[in-house]
Amino acid sequence: MLISRFHAIPRFGLPYTPLDFVAAFSAIFGGAQLPDAFGLLGDSAKFWTRSGRQALRLLLTALDLKPGSGVALPLFTDPSLVSAIVSSGHRPVFIDVDPRFLTMDPSSLEAQRGRFSALVVVHLFGQMADIPALQLAGGDVPLIEDAAHAPLSYLNDRMAGGFGLASFYSFASTKYWPAGGGGLAVVNDATLARKLARATEALTSPSRIEELRNLGLQAAKALLFTRELYGILGKPIRRWAEKWAILEPSLDLKAIQHSYAAAASRQALRFAKRVERQRANSLRLLSHLDTIEDIVLPRERPGALYNYHMFPVLLRDREERAPVMAAMWKQFVDTSMIYCDVVQQCRRFGYRGTCPQAESIVDRLITVPNHAALTSHDIDGVAQVFRSSLLACRNVKPSCSGLPVSAHNVACGVEMAGATSTSMQSALQREPTDVF
């Protein structure tokens, strides 16, 4: 298997085809379409939204909670959910996560009982939260599922999004449906659906100029995330784009762009096969990495079936993470530290250090490429790069302990050249929000 700067492995894949682009371009001039292609998510009422975070804001507003009510959510998640809660006039209540499955911890939720009037459950990286235990711990409060990472994930034969009053999805580039942007709310309650219908009808349409600009940027991004260009142009440009928040979803009252809706609808038609392939890649990674000590791998909760949207790995500590990531990129396999700044961001919204497990995860987690476009040979190579990088850095760690981070990284990269072995896993993103 060839991995080089001219055939690097990006942190995630963008299955944005030329026909997706044609459909998106046509929709700019042809108007919005109904979300009919999303029958795979069930028969409940569905509504386009500008983004996943906008969907949460609209849903919370439609619940008619008292102003300033507490809304429980896990600390380790996309910080944009916190801004959606605050924008809806409510107060986030931060809940710790389970150190094994990385989703909301029922015991931590129960300890906060009485402080919240609604519950946002996040199925993180495609891993299903233990909803029955969370419903028991949280009491009789409205439950909304963030299923942006978890379409076609199951728990006890029930699909993500089918447990609460409503769920929402995102089509940003780091999600399973990377149409460029936009979102979808799926509402299981008739009264709530009528309210959300009125709210989404009141959203203003984006201009054609905005649509054409963003469609062009998305097409360029999809091109840069091809393996042929990522190592040369994609990764350097991605860093610049992150700084300027190119294609960053905004929390406003505009409607979804017609181009995003059209691309997402086309991707939905081939989505089940993509999940099947990505899940197979992830299980292959798990089999390769099984024997490595002192890491936590993304295993399925009993009774669950994950789509493996991402492949998170917990390392020993922060000091180990940076050199491993640097060593892997020396072999042109990209990784990410998704939500790495969530603790700092949430301190601005009242977080006071009550979630030790989540804080530990923030310091130790990386994601490794597992996307559906990768072949079995690619996955084997990613696994080998991860294993050799990790073991080499652990071997040199004592002699590198007094070096600055940059020198430590170089030392690990040099040592890695002589290391051998087999194994690795799945991708995501440093960005706390859905940026380039």
Side-chain angles (χ1 to χ4, degrees):
M1 178 209 61
L2 174 66
I3 302 178
S4 68
R5 184 174 295 279
F6 300 97
H7 203 59
I9 295 184
R11 55 177 61 183
F12 61 87
L14 284 179
Y16 200 89
T17 68
L19 288 178
D20 291 342
F21 182 82
V22 170
F25 183 81
S26 300
I28 294 176
F29 302 95
Q33 56 191 99
L34 297 174
D36 297 332
F38 294 91
L40 75 170
L41 299 179
D43 298 328
S44 297
K46 300 175 181 67
F47 305 93
W48 294 121
T49 61
R50 175 79 162 184
S51 62
R53 69 193 71 176
Q54 186 200 68
L56 177 57
R57 177 183 178 180
L58 294 175
L59 287 167
L60 289 174
T61 301
L63 286 178
D64 292 330
L65 304 174
K66 290 183 179 179
S69 294
V71 177
L73 80 164
L75 175 68
F76 186 60
T77 190
D78 190 327
S80 69
L81 300 186
V82 180
S83 63
I85 291 170
V86 173
S87 296
S88 66
H90 302 305
R91 170 178 51 84
V93 177
F94 298 105
I95 308 299
D96 210 353
V97 297
D98 182 296
R100 181 179 177 189
F101 299 109
L102 312 186
T103 55
M104 187 183 286
D105 181 5
S107 62
S108 178
L109 179 67
E110 188 170 20
Q112 298 290 341
R113 193 164 174 170
R115 297 191 60 232
F116 55 87
S117 301
L119 174 59
V120 178
V121 173
V122 180
H123 303 304
L124 193 67
F125 307 142
Q127 304 184 77
M128 289 286 294
D130 188 355
I131 292 193
L134 292 171
Q135 288 175 315
L136 188 63
D140 190 21
V141 300
L143 188 153
I144 297 172
E145 295 175 68
D146 177 353
H149 288 186
L152 301 194
S153 287
Y154 290 82
L155 178 64
N156 301 330
D157 296 323
R158 293 178 65 182
M159 189 168 60
F163 291 84
L165 287 178
S167 59
F168 61 91
Y169 300 81
S170 171
F171 307 127
S173 294
T174 57
K175 302 303 189 293
Y176 229 142
W177 265 300
L184 185 77
V186 180
V187 184
N188 303 322
D189 177 83
T191 301
L192 187 62
R194 286 192 292 271
K195 293 180 179 178
L196 203 66
R198 291 193 293 269
T200 53
E201 287 169 2
L203 298 174
T204 59
S205 297
S207 69
R208 283 183 177 172
I209 292 176
E210 179 184 358
E211 291 230 34
L212 289 168
R213 167 191 172 272
N214 287 351
L215 180 59
L217 288 171
Q218 177 61 18
K221 182 175 181 179
L223 184 64
L224 289 172
F225 267 76
T226 60
R227 293 188 61 178
E228 293 76 15
L229 291 181
Y230 187 75
I232 306 167
L233 296 173
K235 189 174 175 73
I237 291 177
R238 181 183 56 75
R239 289 174 175 169
W240 170 81
E242 285 174 9
K243 179 179 178 181
W244 294 101
I246 302 297
L247 289 175
E248 165 83 14
S250 55
L251 189 60
D252 54 30
L253 293 178
K254 289 185 178 180
I256 189 174
Q257 294 183 192
H258 300 161
S259 58
Y260 291 161
S265 296
R266 275 189 51 83
Q267 290 174 358
L269 299 177
R270 58 183 189 268
F271 185 73
K273 286 188 176 180
R274 184 161 170 249
V275 170
E276 182 181 354
R277 178 64 197 168
Q278 189 147 319
R279 177 175 163 80
N281 281 349
S282 300
L283 295 178
R284 190 178 185 95
L285 277 173
L286 279 173
S287 69
H288 280 312
L289 304 179
D290 243 354
T291 59
I292 301 179
E293 297 182 355
D294 292 339
I295 63 173
V296 177
L297 298 173
R299 304 190 185 282
E300 291 172 319
R301 186 187 303 280
L305 188 148
Y306 297 161
N307 67 17
Y308 279 104
H309 167 47
M310 293 183 185
F311 199 95
V313 183
L314 292 183
L315 303 176
R316 285 175 176 168
D317 50 39
R318 177 190 291 266
E319 286 69 30
E320 184 169 86
R321 178 171 64 179
V324 168
M325 295 178 71
M328 290 186 69
W329 182 242
K330 283 181 179 290
Q331 297 188 65
F332 304 108
V333 175
D334 201 13
T335 54
S336 70
M337 301 185 300
I338 191 166
Y339 310 146
C340 64
D341 59 350
V342 66
V343 175
Q344 294 90 329
Q345 292 205 41
C346 288
R347 289 191 191 282
R348 298 186 292 115
F349 297 100
Y351 175 64
R352 295 294 179 265
T354 55
C355 301
Q357 295 293 348
E359 292 197 32
S360 173
I361 288 165
V362 164
D363 287 339
R364 298 157 50 211
L365 183 138
I366 67 170
T367 68
V368 190
N370 68 328
H371 33 96
L374 299 177
T375 67
S376 297
H377 291 300
D378 292 332
I379 291 296
D380 295 345
V382 170
Q384 181 173 344
V385 168
F386 173 78
R387 180 185 287 271
S388 63
S389 300
L390 177 64
L391 296 184
C393 290
R394 285 181 175 178
N395 287 340
V396 301
K397 199 168 184 180
S399 62
C400 292
S401 56
L403 296 176
V405 170
S406 58
H408 190 176
N409 291 351
V410 171
C412 290
V414 172
E415 182 71 20
M416 180 188 62
T420 57
S421 277
T422 339
S423 277
M424 179 47 234
Q425 94 223 93
S426 120
L428 226 149
Q429 201 121 358
R430 186 192 79 80
E431 307 88 41
T433 48
D434 304 310
V435 296
F436 203 92

